[in-house]
């Protein structure tokens, strides 16, 4: 684990540790990222260790405990990293198709009797549901906000059974008829179609969300400024120089990534908005002793969101 020197120089840093958002299993994620990290290590002249965990919560804890120096994280995890763990956004994932983001989806079996969201909501307490962790933007936050909270419902009580796992296992659960409905996203589903074509053929998308911005790279703000700048530059120029073709093939091992674009904390405002909308809708759905009590709660939610957006939009120390 790197430790900054009082002088602000990065010459004393002997290694960096990179935290990896779980995609599939931890070992699979490590294997996918390793070729790119090895190139990054040569560019920075520093060994780069990697830490891949099986859950979003595990990666969040690793960042909170300063066991990673920079990390690939979802927008919701990045919010915690920036507001609680002294980290800042330095880059955002870019995909080969030029998309500005991806979409959350609900999956059902191809032969499922569910053909619309209305069909789903006509069956309270009857269906089995698989979702992502509460820190997963596409696996929990977006469908919970846009579908359930919007109808004054909670997915954890609407379904007869709820299981929590990663996108890959949730898609397999639908294909194997272990659950009736599961959350996923278009980026992971595309990857799933290549790894599990037979199971993918058994799936159908029931619902698609609005656009979700891509995941980001965050780095510890207590690392020397020159090192943060070097890491940001190495990331955002990767697969854009003379070795672009070879480097791009390594990126595509990860998640059909085409590179990284420069980004700052302001990139996280859409994720703050998702959390804000979910909290407001939950407040409207709750039981209150009086209208004044509800209004007080809504005022607190509004004030906290405004303060968070102001913080995210504020200029940060250049990486």
């Amino acid at each position: 684990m790197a430790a900054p020197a009082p002088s602000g120089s990065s010459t004393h840093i002997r290694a960096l540790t990179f935290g990896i958002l779980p995609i599939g299993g931890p070992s699979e994620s490590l294997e996918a990222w390793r070729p790119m990290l090895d190139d990054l290590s040569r560019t920075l002249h520093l060994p780069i260790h990697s830490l891949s965990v099986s859950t979003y919560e595990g990666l969040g804890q690793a960042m909170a405990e300063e066991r990673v120096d920079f990390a690939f994280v979802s927008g919701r995890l990045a919010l915690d990293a920036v507001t609680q763990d002294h980290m800042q956004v330095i880059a955002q994932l870019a995909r080969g198709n030029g998309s500005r983001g991806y979409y959350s989806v609900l999956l059902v079996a191809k032969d499922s009797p569910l053909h619309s969201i209305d069909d789903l909501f006509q069956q309270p307490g009857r269906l089995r549901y698989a979702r992502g962790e509460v820190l997963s933007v596409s696996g929990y936050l977006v469908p919970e906000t846009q579908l359930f909270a919007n109808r004054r419902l909670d997915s954890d009580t609407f379904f007869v059974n709820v299981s929590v796992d990663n996108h890959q296992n949730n898609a397999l659960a639908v294909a194997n008829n272990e659950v009736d409905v599961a959350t996923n996203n278009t980026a992971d589903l595309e990857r799933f179609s290549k790894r599990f074509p037979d199971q993918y053929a058994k799936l159908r998308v029931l619902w698609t969300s609005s656009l979700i911005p891509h995941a980001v790279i965050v780095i510890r703000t207590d690392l020397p400024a020159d090192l943060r700048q070097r890491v940001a530059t190495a990331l955002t120029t990767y697969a854009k120089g003379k070795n672009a073709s070879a480097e791009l093939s390594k990126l595509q091992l990860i998640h059909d990534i085409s590179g990284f674009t420069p980004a700052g904390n302001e990139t996280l405002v859409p994720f703050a908005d998702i959390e804000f909308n979910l909290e407001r809708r939950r407040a409207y759905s709750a039981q209150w002793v009086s209208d004044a009590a509800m209004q007080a709660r809504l005022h607190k939610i509004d004030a906290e969101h405004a303060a968070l957006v102001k913080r995210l939009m504020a200029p940060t120390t250049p990486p």
Side-chain angles (χ1 to χ4, degrees):
M1 241 277 309
S7 66
S9 169
S10 64
T11 55
H12 74 293
I13 300 292
R14 296 181 180 178
L16 293 172
T17 299
F18 181 67
I20 301 171
L21 182 74
I23 299 172
S27 59
E28 177 187 347
S29 295
L30 285 172
E31 184 180 345
W33 279 91
R34 194 68 254 168
M36 191 277 277
L37 292 177
D38 285 343
D39 284 348
L40 203 63
S41 175
R42 284 188 284 272
T43 299
L44 297 172
H45 304 291
L46 282 172
I48 297 178
H49 307 305
S50 48
L51 174 69
S52 182
V53 293
S54 58
T55 66
Y56 287 67
E57 187 179 52
L59 181 54
Q61 184 174 352
M63 291 190 293
E65 295 173 354
E66 299 185 354
R67 289 189 284 123
V68 297
D69 299 302
F70 65 129
F72 172 65
V73 293
S74 68
R76 181 61 187 80
L77 269 176
L79 271 177
D80 286 346
V82 167
T83 59
Q84 301 173 25
D85 303 329
H86 308 292
M87 302 187 89
Q88 70 179 109
V89 176
I90 56 170
Q92 185 171 35
L93 175 156
R95 295 199 76 214
N97 60 10
S99 67
R100 294 181 297 109
Y102 62 106
Y103 300 88
S104 174
V105 297
L106 287 189
L107 297 177
V108 295
K110 184 163 284 187
D111 59 358
S112 169
L114 303 176
H115 292 282
S116 70
I117 286 300
D118 288 340
D119 290 344
L120 185 152
F121 285 113
Q122 287 171 8
Q123 299 199 49
R126 298 179 186 175
L127 303 170
R128 301 163 298 171
Y129 186 54
R131 64 165 175 82
E133 299 172 62
V134 294
L135 290 173
S136 171
V137 175
S138 63
Y140 178 75
L141 287 169
V142 167
E144 196 69 18
T145 302
Q146 296 185 11
L147 289 177
F148 297 97
N150 213 23
R151 290 170 170 81
R152 299 193 172 188
L153 297 172
D154 185 323
S155 65
D156 283 349
T157 56
F158 178 82
F159 295 97
V160 66
N161 178 266
V162 178
S163 57
V164 178
D165 211 325
N166 61 46
H167 294 305
Q168 176 179 292
N169 290 343
N170 287 342
L172 288 171
V174 176
N176 295 330
N177 195 33
E178 296 167 356
V179 299
D180 301 300
V181 186
T183 60
N184 214 285
N185 68 60
T186 49
D188 277 275
L189 195 57
E190 183 179 324
R191 187 167 174 271
F192 183 86
S193 70
K194 297 173 183 176
R195 294 201 65 218
F196 302 95
D198 294 341
Q199 288 82 357
Y200 175 76
K202 299 178 181 179
L203 303 176
R204 173 162 50 85
V205 173
L206 183 70
W207 168 84
T208 302
S209 74
S210 57
L211 187 73
I212 305 168
H214 287 309
V216 299
I217 301 283
V218 293
I219 193 167
R220 286 173 49 204
T221 55
D222 61 348
L223 288 174
D226 68 314
L227 178 57
R228 282 181 281 142
Q229 180 62 63
R230 287 169 56 209
V231 172
T233 300
L235 283 168
T236 55
T237 57
Y238 191 77
K240 296 180 176 71
K242 62 180 181 179
N243 298 319
S245 179
E247 292 173 351
L248 184 60
S249 67
K250 295 175 184 179
L251 285 174
Q252 291 179 341
L253 295 173
I254 302 168
H255 211 314
D256 190 28
I257 295 175
S258 63
F260 298 93
T261 58
N265 291 344
E266 70 281 352
T267 308
L268 303 182
V269 170
F271 301 102
D273 290 345
I274 291 170
E275 192 83 6
F276 167 69
N277 288 327
L278 180 57
E279 287 301 309
R280 278 189 65 86
R281 288 170 183 176
R282 283 177 170 167
Y284 277 118
S285 303
Q287 298 296 320
W288 298 96
V289 295
S290 67
D291 183 66
M294 182 181 76
Q295 292 302 323
R297 173 60 181 153
L298 290 171
H299 178 74
K300 185 173 187 292
I301 292 170
D302 291 350
E304 289 176 348
H305 177 252
L308 175 57
V309 170
K310 183 178 181 180
R311 178 175 176 180
L312 294 174
M313 294 299 294
T316 54
T317 304

